[in-house]
Amino acid sequence: MATFLYRLGLLAARRARVVIGAWVTALALAVAAYLAFGGTLVASFEISGTPTTDVTDELRDRFPDVGGASGQLVFASADGAALDEVDEAAIADLLDDAAAVDGVAAVVDPFDAAGTLEEQRGLLAEAQVQLADARTRLDAGQAQLDAARAQAEAAGQAAVAGPELDAQQAALDEGRAELDAQAAAAADGRALLDLGEDVAPVSEDRSAALGTIQFDDDPVDGRVLDALADVIAEHDVDGVHVERAGAAAEPPQMSVFGPGEVVGLLVAAVTLFVMLGTFVGAGLPLVNALVGIGTGLAGSLALSDVVEMNTVIPVLGLMLGLAVGIDYSLFILNRHRNQLRDGLDLHESIGRANGTSGNAVVFAGLTVVIALLALNVTGVSFLGLMGTVAAVCVLVAMGVAVTLTPALLALLGHRLTPAARPGRVRRPARPARPGRPASPSTPMSTRRAVVTLTAGLGALLVLAIPALDMRLGLPDGGSEPEDSDAYRTYALVRDEFGPGATGPLLVVADLGEPVADEDLVRTQVRVGEAIAGFDDVSGVAPAGVSADAQLLAFQVVPASAATSVETETLVDDLRSGSDALPGVTLGVAGTASANIDISQKLADVLPLYLAVVIGLSLLILVVVFRSVLVPVTATIGFLLSVLATFGGVTAIFQWGWLGDLFGIHAPGPVLSFMPILLVGILFGLAMDYQLFLVSGMREAYVHGVPARLAVRDGMRHGRVVVTAAAIIMISVFGGFVFSHSVMIQTIGFGLAFGVLVDAFVVRMLLVPAVMHLLGRHAWWLPRWLDRVLPDVDVEGARLARG
């Protein structure tokens, strides 16, 4: 591989303009394809085969009217006063126009619904009065009949009058039975209304109302939402705020490149300038990264019209593409720069840098790509697609690094090292290979290695403590920035209708067999009361009956927020069933339920994913380092980094530590797919630093430097460039911490903190300490394995000999 990359570097250097033209063309074609064929990104996350999707599919089949997504329009008085008749009429007009939007199946006017409920209550109250009057008349008739029977018996006419009196008694009994049935039906109706008393569409002070919109499809087409937004804008109800919630809400707009990202890039540019000393040198990795991310991301998003992609995908691709694009070019550039200062010929230096550092870039990049592509083994489609797009961006960054970088280096010539001139050779203090400083004369002390290892392990374990309390979930509107539309809508619904109204549940009861019409209401009451008896239930309202009368649907409003532990427990309890409902199976759907299922599914597949990633990457590392212990120590260090990062993320986003600094005003569960993403991406990046540092140690070792001295030699060779690379990664990822989306914040912070811990604690401190303590045993490899493994020559030893 080293020889191939050496030749590729020479070819790119000699055909620089052709290579540059090819990449410019590729970038232009990718952007043109995106502009021509790119589709709309979705904001929802779906996983098939979960209890929620099973219930949702059954609803589509058995409840055609509720098969699509459901959303709400929230109406609130601007001054907090009660909405008057003029407001109600204006809202009704708006909802009528909303119902006419193509893609909207039905609309429920909250005031009509509230009026219907009040009318039903009034009718039931009137029926109660009528039933009481009828019972009074029956009682009076019974009294008269009893008196007549007594008189007949006193007059000795009981036998004569008996048949007529018995007929009258039978009529009274029949009337009483009918009256009892009517009373029972009225009581059932009253009980059913009382169950849903807390699921009112209009707030108690009538200052806010919830209109329901049922869509034809799930997810809702963006054009339908745009048309709905146009209807709301056209009406502009005076003195009334109108917000959209649920499936009717505008999809969150992910800012792919904002002020935070600009600051991150500026920090990266300053770091490059400080390290390289020239503006030209600092700009080259940035240019390469932008070309790579533009080509990879635009090319991937060009398929978004035929493949459903989430709004997080381009942000993740941008994060990784920028970070690895800068770092990979930097590794090759730094090697070339050192070789030029040692007096090596320009083109020869480019070829050797590409064959040595470029070789390490390829293997490091392959580790990242494997970790990202392995996301597909989780069986979670949106996560696999995220990993695939990010892997494409990394592959393009690798291609840019080993082709475009040599071409640009050839055009720049010696301007990267203005202090060096052809024919002016810097003499090293002792013999050294091109591009490497002289080796140190003494290794680190064993005592220092033991202290470093002990202190580092202790610090990482302390950082990992909060991870013991980590909960997974998907953020709701309450987690969004306080100035966002999503948060305003969430706060309005929470304040006016209770926290549970922000994430109601849809509970479906399978009775096992159809229920008779005359028993339907009573059965609804029985099931509804059993559901209301669960802890943390605020209200229950009937939502529908299947055509065969075997399934009953209920809207259940929890007493707590959708992301709370109490609501999660409620969902589990409902699915476990109720002792009061023998033979009845309860299923749960809704946004809150779906988020719980997604989090559980991702938590379940995490161990499998971790095993696949570590297993495949260990194989690569064994081949690269030709050692058993080095890959094992690298993996253990990575696991420590991950645990510490999980602890940091939990402390910030779940516990709320430093919330003011990061803009976390409502701590909650950790983003459910963050751990898997973090494991995949951080493992790849951790192996990058492991490769660049330890390959330097191995390079010194295979060239005859004693094992412990080779540790210091490798650190001296790699620490500057790895430090700069880590700072650049932290800057790029850290720029996303101040995003307007809590999902992006969580991913950005996790990656930035993970790189910080892994690069500066694990790779810079713990790994050298362990390598020193292991000594030459670090490079032990069974003979049979040595014969089987291919020699990939990651250190470029053949190039040095040639």
Side-chain angles (χ1 to χ4, degrees):
M1 179 63 77
T3 303
F4 168 75
L5 291 173
Y6 168 78
R7 293 171 179 170
L8 180 64
L10 283 179
L11 180 64
R14 292 166 180 165
R15 299 287 186 272
R17 287 179 171 79
V18 174
V19 173
I20 294 171
W23 276 110
V24 171
T25 302
L27 175 61
L29 289 174
V31 173
Y34 168 65
L35 295 176
F37 306 112
T40 302
L41 304 182
V42 300
S44 59
F45 298 93
E46 292 187 5
I47 298 179
S48 60
T50 65
T52 295
T53 56
D54 292 342
V55 172
T56 302
D57 292 341
E58 190 171 34
L59 284 171
R60 288 195 181 102
D61 295 338
R62 310 281 288 275
F63 293 80
D65 293 338
V66 295
S70 178
Q72 297 83 37
L73 291 183
V74 187
F75 304 95
S77 171
D79 57 5
L83 298 170
D84 55 27
E85 294 181 357
V86 175
D87 297 329
E88 293 179 17
I91 291 171
D93 290 340
L94 187 156
L95 291 174
D96 287 342
D97 288 347
V101 171
D102 188 23
V104 173
V107 171
V108 177
D109 186 315
F111 299 103
D112 286 349
T116 300
L117 288 174
E118 287 302 316
E119 183 180 350
Q120 290 175 345
R121 291 182 187 279
L123 291 175
L124 284 172
E126 184 179 344
Q128 294 281 5
V129 173
Q130 292 174 352
L131 287 170
D133 291 343
R135 193 174 297 281
T136 299
R137 290 193 296 271
L138 276 175
D139 291 342
Q142 184 66 55
Q144 292 174 359
L145 182 60
D146 291 343
R149 190 180 295 278
Q151 290 176 358
E153 291 175 352
Q157 299 295 319
V160 177
E164 181 180 351
L165 293 175
D166 288 343
Q168 293 178 6
Q169 184 63 55
L172 284 175
D173 290 343
E174 183 180 351
R176 192 179 301 280
E178 184 178 349
L179 192 63
D180 288 343
Q182 292 176 354
D188 288 340
R190 180 74 185 185
L192 204 59
L193 287 176
D194 289 343
L195 277 175
E197 188 173 3
D198 292 331
V199 194
V202 180
S203 64
E204 188 174 349
D205 61 2
R206 298 186 68 81
S207 65
L210 282 175
T212 302
I213 299 181
Q214 192 69 38
F215 296 97
D216 290 331
D217 301 318
D218 185 8
V220 183
D221 190 286
R223 289 167 293 190
V224 177
L225 296 179
D226 291 340
L228 184 60
D230 292 339
V231 169
I232 295 173
E234 288 172 5
H235 281 266
D236 191 22
V237 183
D238 187 35
V240 177
H241 293 309
V242 183
E243 302 288 353
R244 294 184 286 165
E250 180 183 4
Q253 300 300 313
M254 297 293 181
S255 175
V256 176
F257 204 76
E261 292 76 37
V262 172
V263 172
L265 274 184
L266 288 176
V267 173
V270 171
T271 303
L272 289 169
F273 177 74
V274 170
M275 177 185 176
L276 300 174
T278 65
F279 287 108
V280 172
L284 188 145
L286 294 174
V287 170
N288 283 358
L290 293 175
V291 170
I293 194 60
T295 305
L297 194 55
S300 299
L301 293 179
L303 301 174
S304 58
D305 194 40
V306 293
V307 179
E308 186 177 279
M309 295 187 182
N310 192 272
T311 51
V312 178
I313 288 177
V315 181
L316 181 62
L318 179 64
M319 280 187 193
L320 273 179
L322 279 177
V324 301
I326 294 173
D327 280 5
Y328 290 169
S329 295
L330 173 62
F331 291 136
I332 296 173
L333 169 60
N334 184 65
R335 182 74 173 227
H336 169 64
R337 179 170 167 269
N338 288 336
Q339 290 173 166
L340 283 183
R341 287 185 171 179
D342 286 337
L344 203 61
D345 174 73
L346 176 64
H347 282 189
E348 179 66 17
S349 175
I350 293 173
R352 289 201 180 191
N354 215 46
T356 51
S357 293
N359 201 17
V361 163
V362 169
F363 280 97
L366 286 177
T367 307
V368 179
V369 169
I370 287 174
L372 291 170
L373 291 179
L375 288 170
N376 289 279
V377 307
T378 64
V380 180
S381 56
F382 77 83
L383 202 56
L385 189 58
M386 281 186 192
T388 301
V389 171
V392 169
C393 293
V394 173
L395 281 172
V396 174
M398 289 166 51
V400 168
V402 297
T403 56
L404 183 59
T405 300
L408 292 176
L409 291 177
L411 289 184
L412 292 175
H414 289 270
R415 280 177 287 178
L416 293 171
T417 55
R421 293 290 183 270
R424 179 182 175 185
V425 180
R426 187 187 68 183
R427 300 292 182 186
R430 59 181 295 178
R433 293 169 300 284
R436 294 182 60 86
S439 298
S441 57
T442 58
M444 77 167 73
S445 68
T446 301
R447 178 181 179 183
R448 177 184 173 186
V450 171
V451 171
T452 299
L453 183 60
T454 304
L457 285 175
L460 291 176
L461 292 176
V462 169
L463 285 173
I465 290 175
L468 297 173
D469 189 43
M470 184 170 66
R471 289 178 54 237
L472 300 180
L474 286 173
D476 57 10
S479 303
E480 297 299 327
E482 292 179 295
D483 59 347
S484 66
D485 293 339
Y487 179 79
R488 284 195 296 269
T489 304
Y490 175 90
L492 178 59
V493 174
R494 178 198 61 198
D495 296 341
E496 296 292 343
F497 299 95
T502 62
L505 304 174
L506 186 61
V507 177
V508 177
D510 187 344
L511 304 177
E513 59 183 8
V515 62
D517 290 344
E518 60 271 18
D519 296 328
L520 178 59
V521 175
R522 184 168 303 169
T523 304
Q524 284 182 305
V525 171
R526 179 172 65 89
V527 176
E529 288 179 342
I531 293 174
F534 283 91
D535 292 338
D536 209 55
V537 172
S538 174
V540 180
V545 181
S546 64
D548 60 2
Q550 181 174 327
L551 300 183
L552 307 179
F554 297 87
Q555 182 185 19
V556 177
V557 177
S560 305
T563 58
S564 67
V565 177
E566 292 80 6
T567 299
E568 184 176 346
T569 302
L570 172 61
V571 170
D572 292 337
D573 290 345
L574 285 169
R575 287 172 174 165
S576 299
S578 169
D579 294 337
L581 297 173
V584 177
T585 303
L586 299 179
V588 186
T591 303
S593 169
N595 290 349
I596 292 170
D597 289 344
I598 290 173
S599 301
Q600 185 60 52
K601 178 72 177 286
L602 293 173
D604 291 342
V605 300
L606 179 58
L608 170 64
Y609 175 67
L610 192 60
V612 170
V613 169
I614 290 178
L616 291 176
S617 298
L618 275 175
L619 291 177
I620 291 180
L621 293 177
V622 168
V623 171
V624 169
F625 292 121
R626 305 190 70 80
S627 165
V628 173
L629 294 179
V630 170
V632 170
T633 56
T635 302
I636 294 174
F638 156 72
L639 292 175
L640 290 171
S641 298
V642 165
L643 291 175
T645 304
F646 285 174
V649 171
T650 302
I652 299 295
F653 292 92
Q654 183 177 317
W655 290 1
W657 291 7
L658 303 177
D660 292 339
L661 176 62
F662 294 101
I664 309 299
H665 63 88
V670 172
L671 182 65
S672 57
F673 55 85
M674 190 280 300
I676 284 187
L677 278 182
L678 190 66
V679 165
I681 297 172
L682 190 57
F683 187 84
L685 299 181
M687 295 307 104
D688 279 3
Y689 300 133
Q690 178 80 8
L691 195 60
F692 287 111
L693 285 173
V694 180
S695 64
M697 301 175 190
R698 177 166 176 78
E699 183 178 355
Y701 180 71
V702 298
H703 283 91
V705 179
R708 289 185 170 177
L709 204 57
V711 173
R712 291 198 66 181
D713 184 81
M715 286 299 297
R716 286 189 59 181
H717 166 58
R719 64 187 175 192
V720 174
V721 68
V722 170
T723 298
I727 292 174
I728 290 167
M729 285 246 183
I730 293 168
S731 302
V732 173
F733 293 147
F736 291 87
V737 172
F738 302 98
S739 167
H740 214 56
S741 165
V742 70
M743 285 194 291
I744 304 304
Q745 281 183 296
T746 307
I747 296 172
F749 175 82
L751 292 176
F753 188 72
V755 170
L756 175 68
V757 170
D758 192 85
F760 292 106
V761 179
V762 174
R763 308 302 154 189
M764 295 281 200
L765 297 177
L766 299 190
V767 167
V770 171
M771 294 291 290
H772 174 87
L773 295 175
L774 290 174
R776 62 183 178 85
H777 301 293
W779 305 110
W780 170 77
L781 185 70
R783 291 182 179 178
W784 66 268
L785 189 57
D786 185 43
R787 291 193 298 268
V788 173
L789 291 179
D791 185 4
V792 296
D793 189 26
V794 72
E795 304 87 12
R798 294 192 188 95
L799 297 179
R801 290 194 298 268

